[in-house]
Amino acid sequence: TLPKIMRGKLLADVIPGLGKFTFDADVGKVFVTSGTGVVGYRVAASLLAAGHKDVRVGVWKGDRQGVDENFVPKIIEELEGRGAEVMEFDWSSEADYLVALDGVKTVFCTLPHIEGWADVFPAFLKTCKDKKIEHFVKLSFLRPTHDFKGVAEIAKMYRDNVPFVSFHGTCDDILQQAKSNSRISYTIICTSHLMATPLLAQGALLRDEQKYVSGSYGMGVNYVSPNDVADACVVVLLNQKPHRNKVYNITGPGPTKDSEIVEILSRKYGKKIQHIELGFHDFAKDIKKRGLPKWQVRDTASMERMKAHGMDEVKSSYTEDYHKITGHQPETFEQYLDHKSCMRPGLTFP
């Protein structure tokens, strides 16, 4: 029998036409840059459960604000138990790049929100070229493509107004050029706002004080399930040929208001969650009070301001790329919360 992936489905449920589908013979060893990340953990675990056992996973063991100190050890134990090779990986260490990429053919890259991020990707990609990496799958934010005009307009606005999105766009540009002077082919999986992001950003405020703070001015937001993003990534990692040198925009089921999320969370937690709606400047001050560094406050506040424009309420903001890749419809916020088996050990919501 085929192994089940994390969401309790057969692999055939994730990849359409499995009867005609075989893993690419040249996938080889896959390096997942962040096994502790929302999508990276899901991708690593799903690859292993799908039967691809040659997986190396990077984890960063540094301090994580407001996170249980056992969080990383639990993830390491879980992934090693499934058959992964786990190594410490620090984006600031080029020596780690050499170790991580040794013997690797395929890379799955998620870039963390860290200080100095503008320097790390070009250095990592150069090492990938030197180590003769053959395929590079990168997670990004929405990116203009020829297929969906509405998404292209939104992607441009985000890139022009949110520094971290602009950085991702520059990295994507560099990656797309890599095939001209190396053997690297690419697939870029772009998403809108992950459903996990507002929950992680609320942190202790949500868990301990039952408060949810937003600055989206009541507008619907294009929230995307990390489960859907991971499923799409697993498909393009294991069946690379039809997805080489392509860009996909993965969007959610439709606009979801933060007030609706609060209602869902209240039901799931079994207690009333207070929704605190703030203007842009007050929202930025609130984030800063949580002890986040200035650059992260700027990026988070800028992202919230973009939500408040209401662009995600337009039908043209949504694509069919997720369905095209997996054959499934995107998860709703409530369905995402119900899939606890996919969540990282120690970080489940509610």
Side-chain angles (χ1 to χ4, degrees), residues 10-313:
L10 293 175
L11 190 59
D13 290 330
V14 177
I15 303 173
L18 183 66
K20 302 176 183 178
F21 174 87
T22 56
F23 290 6
D24 283 356
D26 59 353
V27 171
K29 185 183 290 294
V30 178
F31 175 57
V32 178
T33 61
S34 177
T36 56
V38 170
V39 176
Y41 171 78
R42 287 165 166 80
V43 167
S46 292
L47 286 172
L48 295 162
H52 188 79
K53 297 299 184 183
D54 200 1
V55 179
R56 178 180 293 149
V57 184
V59 298
W60 179 63
K61 296 182 179 179
D63 292 333
R64 285 173 168 80
Q65 186 179 26
V67 174
D68 180 0
E69 62 182 12
N70 293 317
F71 169 63
V72 174
K74 285 178 182 176
I75 284 185
I76 293 173
E77 180 182 5
E78 179 73 24
L79 292 177
E80 286 183 339
R82 293 171 181 255
E85 173 195 350
V86 181
M87 64 165 285
E88 186 165 3
F89 182 73
D90 187 339
W91 276 103
S92 67
S93 170
E94 292 189 30
D96 283 359
Y97 301 172
L98 294 170
V99 177
L101 296 172
D102 187 45
V104 168
K105 282 192 174 182
T106 302
V107 168
F108 176 65
C109 176
T110 59
L111 284 165
H113 205 176
I114 57 173
E115 190 170 16
W117 35 250
D119 301 320
V120 298
F121 186 79
F124 182 68
L125 185 60
K126 180 182 182 303
T127 307
C128 286
K129 293 178 181 179
D130 294 342
K131 299 292 280 186
K132 304 294 191 291
I133 298 303
E134 295 184 8
H135 192 58
F136 195 113
V137 178
K138 178 183 175 294
L139 197 63
S140 187
F141 199 77
L142 294 178
R143 184 166 176 79
T145 65
H146 296 299
D147 297 331
F148 299 98
K149 183 180 178 183
V151 172
E153 292 171 353
I154 291 172
K156 184 179 185 306
M157 287 189 68
Y158 271 95
R159 186 166 180 174
D160 290 346
N161 291 282
V162 182
F164 192 62
V165 175
S166 176
F167 160 67
H168 263 294
T170 301
C171 292
D172 297 342
D173 295 342
I174 296 170
L175 177 58
Q176 288 186 285
Q177 295 164 8
K179 62 188 175 78
S180 65
N181 60 3
S182 74
R183 61 167 54 180
I184 294 176
S185 62
Y186 65 83
T187 307
I188 303 175
I189 300 288
C190 309
T191 80
S192 184
H193 305 272
L194 292 179
M195 292 176 180
T197 302
L199 305 182
L200 293 169
Q202 307 296 328
L205 191 68
L206 179 60
R207 290 190 304 272
D208 301 337
E209 299 183 36
Q210 290 80 56
K211 293 179 181 178
Y212 182 104
V213 179
S214 70
S216 54
Y217 284 86
M219 295 295 178
V221 179
N222 184 357
Y223 283 117
V224 185
S225 168
N227 302 324
D228 292 344
V229 177
D231 279 356
C233 291
V234 169
V235 173
V236 304
L237 283 164
L238 293 180
N239 189 26
Q240 295 177 4
K241 189 175 180 179
H243 305 292
R244 289 185 186 276
N245 301 325
K246 292 187 178 179
V247 177
Y248 296 106
N249 284 305
I250 307 297
T251 54
T256 305
K257 296 181 180 181
D258 285 306
S259 58
E260 295 170 337
I261 294 174
V262 170
E263 289 178 9
I264 294 169
L265 288 171
S266 294
R267 290 201 306 271
K268 298 295 181 184
Y269 274 102
K271 59 183 73 173
K272 178 69 175 175
I273 305 296
Q274 182 184 0
H275 186 197
I276 301 172
E277 300 178 85
L278 300 176
F280 172 75
H281 294 292
D282 288 335
F283 181 83
K285 289 177 183 176
D286 183 76
I287 299 171
K288 194 171 183 180
K289 281 193 305 185
R290 301 178 202 176
L292 297 177
K294 183 182 293 186
W295 58 272
Q296 194 168 353
V297 170
R298 177 197 61 200
D299 283 337
T300 304
S302 298
M303 196 74 86
E304 199 74 8
R305 173 180 266 175
M306 296 305 294
K307 293 179 185 178
H309 281 289
M311 298 176 293
D312 291 348
E313 298 207 335

Side-chain angles (χ1 to χ4, degrees), residues 330-348:
E331 282 189 328
T332 65
F333 213 104
E334 190 151 9
Q335 289 170 332
Y336 158 65
L337 289 175
D338 286 339
H339 277 130
K340 291 185 175 60
S341 62
C342 302
M343 296 181 184
R344 296 168 293 173
L347 279 180
T348 58

